[in-house]
Amino acid sequence: QVELVESGGGSVQAGGSLRLSCEALRLPNRLRCMGWFRRAPGKEREGVALINGDGTISYADSVTGRFTISQDSAKNTLYLQMNALKPEDSAMYYCAAEWRSGARTTLASMWEDLEYWGQGTQVTVSS
């Protein structure tokens, strides 16, 4: 059974940095489409960053210039480097991924389109 294991969340002050990791276990093939989304209490889910199946990278406007998504294919691991964190970045962060070729998604639908999710890692930013 494929499993995504996230780590790296925590509590930081505004302006600080965190690096989230998402390791994919027991994959039958390499990750092809993967991203991060978040959900804060009382708010809708928000796609944060995405490496699409064709290799294109997308970011939500709210994190552009501050967050960087990357992957280590050899380790089947996805990362999200988060700099200049703001209190409004506080949320549960989830990675989502798909290994099947041809997979495509968008920032607005990755939690519907991608088959595998992690358990979530909490990020709390204090002012």
Side-chain angles (χ1 to χ4, degrees):
Q1 182 72 14
V2 175
E3 184 179 3
L4 302 183
V5 180
E6 295 147 345
S7 60
S11 297
V12 296
Q13 290 192 326
S17 299
L18 286 172
R19 188 195 195 202
L20 306 184
S21 299
C22 173
E23 183 181 10
L25 304 177
R26 296 180 290 279
L27 274 180
N29 208 328
R30 65 178 179 88
L31 289 174
R32 296 179 184 274
C33 189
M34 63 216 82
W36 294 90
F37 67 95
R38 64 189 180 187
R39 188 163 193 176
K43 295 186 177 180
E44 297 292 323
R45 280 177 289 205
E46 177 187 20
V48 174
L50 171 66
I51 301 176
N52 220 324
D54 60 1
T56 57
I57 294 177
S58 304
Y59 295 99
D61 289 343
S62 58
V63 306
T64 297
R66 300 187 296 122
F67 290 12
T68 303
I69 189 172
S70 62
Q71 63 169 319
D72 184 331
S73 298
K75 297 180 179 179
N76 268 334
T77 299
L78 180 68
Y79 302 100
L80 185 68
Q81 177 66 44
M82 305 187 295
N83 298 328
L85 283 161
K86 304 176 181 179
E88 52 263 44
D89 293 319
S90 297
M92 186 72 79
Y93 283 71
Y94 300 87
C95 64
E98 176 60 72
W99 60 267
R100 294 176 179 84
S101 62
R104 298 288 189 274
T105 188
T106 69
L107 287 170
S109 62
M110 66 172 76
W111 47 86
E112 296 176 346
D113 296 335
L114 302 184
E115 183 171 357
Y116 303 106
W117 296 13
Q119 79 285 359
T121 186
Q122 180 68 40
V123 171
T124 303
V125 185
S126 58
S127 58

